[in-house]
Amino acid sequence: MNKLPRISGRECVKVLNKERFYFKRQEGSHIILRRDNPFAQVVVPDHKELDRGTLRAIIRQAGLTVEGFNKLI
């Protein structure tokens, strides 16, 4: 299993933009991203550093693998 990178919420949003996710809205410190085809919606906290479990959940909800996510960085 590959290691998860230590990245911020904003860096995570930039990586997900490469996978056709776009900014839908922001509620407080939570950024909501959406992809239309295939449909997926993820919530990314706008924190300086994301916890490993939070990042793993975001990657899973986006339909990616850790290896695929690391290649996009």
Side-chain angles (χ1 to χ4, degrees):
M1 179 183 291
N2 286 357
K3 283 197 159 204
L4 286 172
R6 302 300 260 164
I7 62 173
S8 70
R10 300 233 175 189
E11 289 172 311
C12 182
V13 168
K14 288 178 185 177
V15 172
L16 291 175
N17 282 336
K18 295 176 185 176
E19 278 295 306
R20 299 174 303 164
F21 280 87
Y22 62 90
F23 177 85
K24 181 69 175 169
R25 67 183 183 275
Q26 183 167 353
E27 295 180 13
S29 66
H30 290 84
I31 302 167
I32 291 90
L33 302 172
R34 179 176 280 181
R35 178 178 63 197
D36 291 326
N37 194 8
F39 180 79
Q41 184 166 301
V42 295
V43 178
V44 179
D46 189 14
H47 297 165
K48 289 182 181 178
E49 189 174 290
L50 295 176
D51 290 332
R52 287 188 189 106
T54 304
L55 181 57
R56 189 175 300 280
I58 291 168
I59 292 169
R60 190 179 323 114
Q61 290 171 6
L64 299 172
T65 62
V66 174
E67 295 86 19
F69 188 82
N70 283 336
K71 287 180 184 176
L72 292 172
I73 293 179

